[in-house]
Amino acid sequence: MTINDLAGTPPNPEAAISVRGLVKRFGTFTAVDGIDFDVPRGQIFGFLGPNGSGKTTTIRMLTGTSGPNAGQALVLGEDVINHPERVKQRFGYMSQKFALFEDMTVEENLRFYAGVYDLSAEQFAKQRAYVLDMADLRGRENELTANLSVGWRQRLALGTATIHEPELLFLDEPTGGVDPVARRQFWDLLYDLASRGVTLFVTTHYMDEASHCNQLAFIYRGRLIAEGVPHDIRRDLIAEQVLEVSVRDVDGALAWLEQAPGVEEAYLSGARLHAVIEPGASGDVVGDYTARLRTAGFADASLVAVEPTLEDVFVNLVARAQES
Ligand SMILES: Nc1ncnc2c1ncn2[C@@H]1O[C@H](COP(=O)(O)OP(=O)(O)OP(=O)(O)O)[C@@H](O)[C@H]1O
Ligand SMILES: [Mg+2]
């Protein structure tokens, strides 16, 4: 997985988004540290990274909201840094913190965004109908946005971000704080947009959502540390075996695994532990570590080999990035 193939090449005007050497500093702190990537048109592109890694800062540069200190960015073939006005009507942005006016009704929010994008009365009527159906908000047009549950609000925010039928949509942690059922429904809406050719640039913390994307980029401390399709990322980056450990004394077993020979990483995964075994381990690895844990005093430990999840990949990538 080579992530710097694009560095030094000219940005690609055919891509939905093409970024070269993008840098953003706040004082002496570098929040985005020279990133290069292309997002092909029509894709769902997942931009993943822990808190503070530079996701929102990147989106703000790509939407012309904040100017970079260096680098180039083409959005839908246009230079968004120097001429954001050329492309602003063609993309939508559902921001992480602010997307809706809480003290306005559903209808008023829709009208506000229609005004921002200068929709004609005819376009507004058509898109209003589309959004109310899509977000399942018919009959609630006059409700205050603050009174909607988080899931409804999220769908209304998606509606306002798409009211001008954009070709490209930036979604910054769109499902944060939403329950799993509402998240699933929200993703169905995203799939529907993608099936109609809209390119989606999505940031998320949820690893299951990463699996819904066509392509992923991982950002850590302002740098891209991996890029590719979810399947390849899983296969290429963890050739190692991952063991899942069920044990009563989770903390004790974690401390033991962290210093055990042959264990590359160990961490909590839900109520269990995951241990990444160093490459080259052969024989009955599961049996071997089960015996070792039991000998070490964790008599109830039971182990199985599991398929690496994207979360495993991510933890491993971050650990490697910290070592280098
Ligand atoms: N206006 C600003 N002034 C100073 N520092 C900033 C500013 N905006 C962001 N930062 C810093 O830049 C880094 C990246 O922030 P950013 O918001 O892009 O992270 P993020 O990946 O979106 O995180 P999260 O997952 O929490 O939303 C953080 O350390 C943040 O504190
Ligand atoms: Mg953010």
Side-chain angles (χ1 to χ4, degrees), residues 254-293:
L254 178 59
W256 186 86
L257 282 165
E258 278 173 340
Q259 53 73 51
V263 175
E264 203 163 73
E265 297 296 329
Y267 41 87
L268 261 178
S269 177
R272 305 204 167 108
L273 296 170
H274 276 196
V276 181
I277 306 303
E278 281 172 5
S282 58
D284 179 12
V285 177
V286 172
D288 189 24
Y289 279 93
T290 305
R292 287 207 236 170
L293 267 163

Side-chain angles (χ1 to χ4, degrees), residues 26 29 31 49-58 96 172-173 205 219:
F26 296 108
F29 173 72
N51 289 119
S53 54
K55 302 182 297 295
T56 299
T57 305
T58 301
Q96 184 174 4
D172 197 358
E173 296 197 28
H205 277 149
I219 185 170

Side-chain angles (χ1 to χ4, degrees), residues 26-297:
F26 296 108
T28 56
F29 173 72
T30 306
V32 173
D33 196 5
I35 56 173
D36 305 274
F37 63 83
D38 282 349
V39 178
R41 291 188 193 228
Q43 292 230 327
I44 304 182
F45 187 89
F47 197 54
L48 282 82
N51 289 119
S53 54
K55 302 182 297 295
T56 299
T57 305
T58 301
I59 289 191
R60 286 169 55 79
M61 291 190 280
L62 295 179
T63 51
T65 317
S66 157
N69 295 91
Q72 297 166 280
L74 296 185
V75 167
L76 300 167
E78 299 285 353
D79 175 352
V80 74
I81 295 165
N82 295 305
H83 300 287
E85 73 288 350
R86 289 187 189 160
V87 68
K88 275 201 160 168
Q89 298 284 342
R90 294 171 59 201
F91 65 75
Y93 176 18
M94 185 169 155
S95 74
Q96 184 174 4
K97 295 252 163 61
F98 171 85
L100 295 169
F101 295 97
E102 302 261 313
D103 57 351
M104 297 200 322
T105 64
V106 169
E107 177 78 21
E108 286 165 346
N109 267 295
L110 291 174
R111 284 193 182 278
F112 175 83
Y113 281 96
V116 167
Y117 291 108
D118 224 3
L119 299 196
S120 67
E122 195 185 335
Q123 284 170 315
F124 177 64
K126 174 176 150 251
Q127 282 306 100
R128 177 183 177 280
Y130 164 74
V131 172
L132 291 175
D133 287 336
M134 178 271 279
D136 205 12
L137 279 166
R138 284 233 180 253
R140 312 185 73 166
E141 295 88 337
N142 296 320
E143 246 177 78
L144 263 193
T145 304
N147 295 344
L148 299 176
S149 75
V150 182
W152 298 96
R153 243 181 286 171
Q154 233 76 346
R155 279 179 280 172
L156 177 59
L158 179 66
T160 57
T162 54
I163 197 139
H164 55 306
E165 297 184 88
E167 296 157 59
L168 163 67
L169 192 54
F170 293 95
L171 299 138
D172 197 358
E173 296 197 28
T175 56
V178 178
D179 69 58
V181 174
R183 265 168 60 199
R184 185 66 244 177
Q185 288 170 341
F186 191 86
W187 270 91
D188 285 340
L189 298 176
L190 297 189
Y191 284 140
D192 184 51
L193 285 167
S195 74
R196 286 187 285 123
V198 178
T199 307
L200 302 173
F201 184 97
V202 190
T203 74
T204 178
H205 277 149
Y206 298 109
M207 287 296 153
D208 58 324
E209 294 192 341
S211 309
H212 298 326
C213 301
N214 306 120
Q215 193 159 351
L216 299 174
F218 289 78
I219 185 170
Y220 179 67
R221 294 190 181 168
R223 295 191 176 185
L224 286 190
I225 56 173
E227 221 187 323
V229 302
H231 178 265
D232 287 351
I233 286 190
R234 269 204 295 263
R235 195 194 51 211
D236 293 356
L237 288 167
I238 296 204
E240 298 92 336
Q241 299 187 57
V242 179
L243 304 182
E244 187 167 82
V245 182
S246 307
V247 64
R248 232 180 341 261
D249 180 7
V250 172
D251 293 339
L254 178 59
W256 186 86
L257 282 165
E258 278 173 340
Q259 53 73 51
V263 175
E264 203 163 73
E265 297 296 329
Y267 41 87
L268 261 178
S269 177
R272 305 204 167 108
L273 296 170
H274 276 196
V276 181
I277 306 303
E278 281 172 5
S282 58
D284 179 12
V285 177
V286 172
D288 189 24
Y289 279 93
T290 305
R292 287 207 236 170
L293 267 163
R294 290 187 178 167
T295 307

